[in-house]
Amino acid sequence: MGIYMNKTYKIEVDCANCAEKMQEAAKKTEGVADAVVSFMTQKMKVEFAEGADEKAVMKKVLKACRKVEPDCEIEL
C-alpha cells in the first residue's frame, strides 16, 4: 500500500463553476492522485501520488489552474 500525502491550500476562486474546472485541471496534473476544490471554504485539498515532489507538483497545478482562471492564487 502506497503512502499518500494530503495537503490543504488556500485558494482564491470566484465561483463554484471555476472551482470545479480547477479541480479537474488539478486532477489531470502529473503527481496528483486526487484533488478537491471547495468554493465555499476557498480551499484546495491535494492528495499527492507516491514519491511526488510536492512543490514541483503544486507549481504545475497553479499553472493548470491559471489556464482556467488567469488571476488564480494558491497559497503555496
Side-chain angles (χ1 to χ4, degrees):
M1 189 177 131
I3 297 169
Y4 293 99
M5 187 173 71
N6 289 312
K7 199 144 184 213
T8 302
Y9 300 89
K10 281 188 73 170
I11 185 169
E12 285 180 28
V13 58
D14 296 337
C15 67
N17 190 36
C18 294
E20 198 171 300
K21 287 179 182 171
M22 285 183 188
Q23 180 173 297
E24 289 308 309
K27 281 183 179 183
K28 290 177 187 158
T29 304
E30 192 181 333
V32 175
D34 196 19
V36 178
V37 177
S38 171
F39 169 64
M40 294 297 285
T41 61
Q42 298 282 298
K43 286 188 173 25
M44 172 187 272
K45 186 176 178 188
V46 179
E47 185 178 304
F48 295 95
E50 194 173 0
D53 178 343
E54 175 206 331
K55 286 188 170 70
V57 170
M58 286 311 295
K59 281 182 184 166
K60 290 183 202 166
V61 168
L62 181 58
K63 202 179 273 186
C65 287
R66 283 196 170 146
K67 285 179 184 165
V68 175
E69 198 173 283
D71 63 348
C72 168
E73 283 300 331
I74 301 173
E75 281 186 27
L76 301 178

